[in-house]
Amino acid sequence: MAYLKLKRKSLQHNYQYIASRLDAEGIEWGVVSKLLCGTKNYIQELVDLGVREIHDSRVSNLKTVKQIDTGIQTVYIKPPAKKAIPSIIKYADVSFNTELSTIRLLSEEAGRQNKLHKIIIMIEMGDLREGVLGDQLLEFYGQIFQLPNITVVGLGTNLNCLYGVMPSQDKLIQLSLYKQLIEAKFNRKIEWVSGGTSVVFPLLLNRQLPKGINHFRIGEMLYFGNNLFTNKGVKGMKSDVFMLHAQIIELIEKPKVPSGDLAANPSGEQFEINEEDYGKTSYRAILDLGLLDISTDFLIPVEKGVKITGASSDMIVIDLGSTKRNYQVGDWVKFKLKYMGALGLLNSDYIDKIVE
């Protein structure tokens, strides 16, 4: 048995930290909730914080947001699939777009639902995920702005999401210049330059953020307090918003070296013996959690000296060292999490999700 705990006070602390710095710069922002995988009690925590704009990549999660509070502005943060367009118009106030044919379908569906749908045009800035090429932007926009039931509220970009291309002042200045070009050519106002994400936030902290960037979308930094440039914690932020608790189902002193002929395990791993471990023993605890739930690469034991020694589909083995460390069968072992680990757990029906 294992469960995931959201620590309310840590979430509140990180939210206030981010909000105070963005508000001081007059920057609008929304919270990215895709990590939460539509977990209703966790989304409720965001609403209770006072969040008025929520971004997600699953329309079903935006539906959950609207069920909790219809007044929250919902943003669908990837180019819409054609099949999903009716639901996107129904549950997303804003969507990210890069394809003219899709925007035309959004316009038609918005008309059928008697809605005005907002879009953000995503621009390719080097990371080669979604985005219109910069030299095609004016022509692209020129074909959009006359469509009924559609209004362009912003230009945006994503960096570091695919190839790891990092944001820079030059790239973000270029994004701001695209906005100025459109406004000058078409005499139309673009509200947002949505260049801010968790990976961009360190530029703001270092006073390197170009003035034109006036909209942020924050997810990972809120939940983990990380500086994605340094992969270290941001001073003054909490890293324990999410904590995994896994229960011990066996605790026995065993040899450190396996016996018998060795072959690859079911995960394809070949164990290498450290000859210095022959004849040595340690206390090994088995946790009621396995690779089906999370990769051990994403687990960070809270207690120093606890080591993860291996895992199978339904069990993880940890080495406690020469003593039991006051653990016994039935006790809980705590872990901090990396982003992808938390994502897998939140998407699992096998893991309970609680708030404290």
Side-chain angles (χ1 to χ4, degrees):
M1 184 176 182
Y3 65 90
L4 186 64
K5 180 190 291 184
L6 184 150
K7 298 180 72 172
R8 179 181 289 128
K9 288 185 178 179
S10 293
L11 180 67
Q12 291 171 341
H13 177 91
N14 284 356
Y15 177 78
Q16 290 163 3
Y17 178 97
I18 293 168
S20 65
R21 282 149 182 82
L22 291 175
D23 291 349
E25 301 295 331
I27 295 174
E28 296 184 57
W29 70 294
V31 170
V32 180
S33 65
K34 64 181 181 180
L35 176 73
L36 307 183
C37 297
T39 305
K40 195 164 186 176
N41 60 330
Y42 286 1
I43 292 176
Q44 182 68 58
E45 291 298 316
L46 295 182
V47 175
D48 291 345
L49 285 174
V51 174
R52 303 312 299 163
E53 180 180 305
I54 291 180
H55 298 233
D56 211 295
S57 58
R58 305 285 178 175
V59 69
S60 59
N61 297 344
L62 296 180
K63 178 180 178 180
T64 299
V65 173
K66 288 296 190 183
Q67 288 172 341
I68 293 173
D69 188 339
T70 57
I72 291 176
Q73 177 161 261
T74 50
V75 185
Y76 185 76
I77 54 173
K78 64 179 180 181
K82 290 183 179 180
K83 186 176 181 180
I85 284 175
S87 295
I88 287 169
I89 294 297
K90 186 173 183 179
Y91 298 113
D93 301 307
V94 189
S95 62
F96 288 6
N97 282 272
T98 61
E99 289 286 348
L100 182 59
S101 60
T102 300
I103 297 169
R104 285 178 173 144
L105 292 174
L106 289 168
S107 171
E108 294 169 5
E109 182 61 31
R112 283 189 284 271
Q113 295 190 30
N114 194 30
K115 289 187 173 183
L116 176 66
H117 186 70
K118 305 171 188 176
I119 68 171
I120 294 174
I121 302 173
M122 299 301 287
I123 303 174
E124 173 57 57
M125 300 294 291
D127 201 43
L128 298 182
R129 205 178 70 171
E130 82 279 18
V132 178
L133 294 175
D135 59 4
Q136 299 173 6
L137 179 60
L138 290 178
E139 180 183 357
F140 184 84
Y141 180 80
Q143 298 180 72
I144 293 172
F145 81 88
Q146 292 183 335
L147 290 174
N149 312 305
I150 292 288
T151 182
V152 177
V153 295
L155 304 179
T157 195
N158 269 313
L159 293 164
N160 191 240
C161 291
L162 188 61
Y163 285 104
V165 174
M166 298 300 285
S168 66
Q169 286 181 305
D170 287 345
K171 288 184 180 295
L172 297 175
I173 288 170
Q174 183 61 55
L175 183 64
S176 300
L177 289 174
Y178 285 135
K179 176 206 177 203
Q180 295 174 29
L181 283 172
I182 285 179
E183 290 182 337
K185 182 172 178 62
F186 297 99
N187 193 29
R188 297 176 72 90
K189 181 71 175 174
I190 302 290
E191 181 180 353
W192 287 343
V193 180
S194 187
T197 59
S198 290
V199 75
V200 175
F201 203 91
L203 295 181
L204 181 143
L205 293 178
N206 295 331
R207 300 194 175 278
Q208 296 175 323
L209 185 74
K211 291 291 185 183
I213 304 302
N214 64 2
H215 184 263
F216 267 66
R217 315 168 317 258
I218 300 291
E220 184 169 353
M221 189 176 181
L222 172 66
Y223 306 119
F224 298 94
N226 286 339
N227 180 324
L228 299 183
F229 269 83
T230 63
N231 289 319
K232 296 180 180 178
V234 175
K235 185 177 181 181
M237 295 194 76
K238 302 288 188 181
S239 62
D240 62 348
V241 171
F242 288 111
M243 295 288 289
L244 173 66
H245 297 242
Q247 195 165 40
I248 297 174
I249 56 176
E250 178 187 295
L251 177 51
I252 298 175
E253 185 178 10
K254 294 185 179 183
K256 298 192 77 169
V257 176
S259 59
D261 295 332
L262 298 182
N265 67 17
S267 297
E269 299 170 328
Q270 185 80 42
F271 185 79
E272 294 184 7
I273 293 175
N274 182 350
E275 294 186 359
E276 294 181 358
D277 288 336
Y278 278 112
K280 295 181 179 180
T281 63
S282 64
Y283 283 92
R284 296 163 66 88
I286 297 178
L287 306 180
D288 191 16
L289 183 77
L291 296 175
L292 177 65
D293 307 294
I294 189 169
S295 166
T296 56
D297 292 338
F298 303 136
L299 290 172
I300 306 168
V302 170
E303 187 174 353
K304 291 182 179 180
V306 171
K307 297 179 181 178
I308 299 170
T309 60
S312 60
S313 60
D314 296 305
M315 288 179 276
I316 291 175
V317 179
I318 60 173
D319 191 323
L320 300 178
S322 59
T323 70
K324 292 184 179 181
R325 297 169 175 257
N326 296 319
Y327 284 115
Q328 58 186 353
V329 173
D331 285 347
W332 300 90
V333 180
K334 293 190 236 180
F335 297 89
K336 291 183 180 181
L337 299 162
K338 297 181 182 179
Y339 182 93
M340 294 304 295
L343 182 64
L345 293 171
L346 279 155
N347 197 42
S348 173
D349 291 333
Y350 298 113
I351 304 295
D352 291 333
K353 292 95 176 173
I354 69 170
V355 178
E356 181 182 80

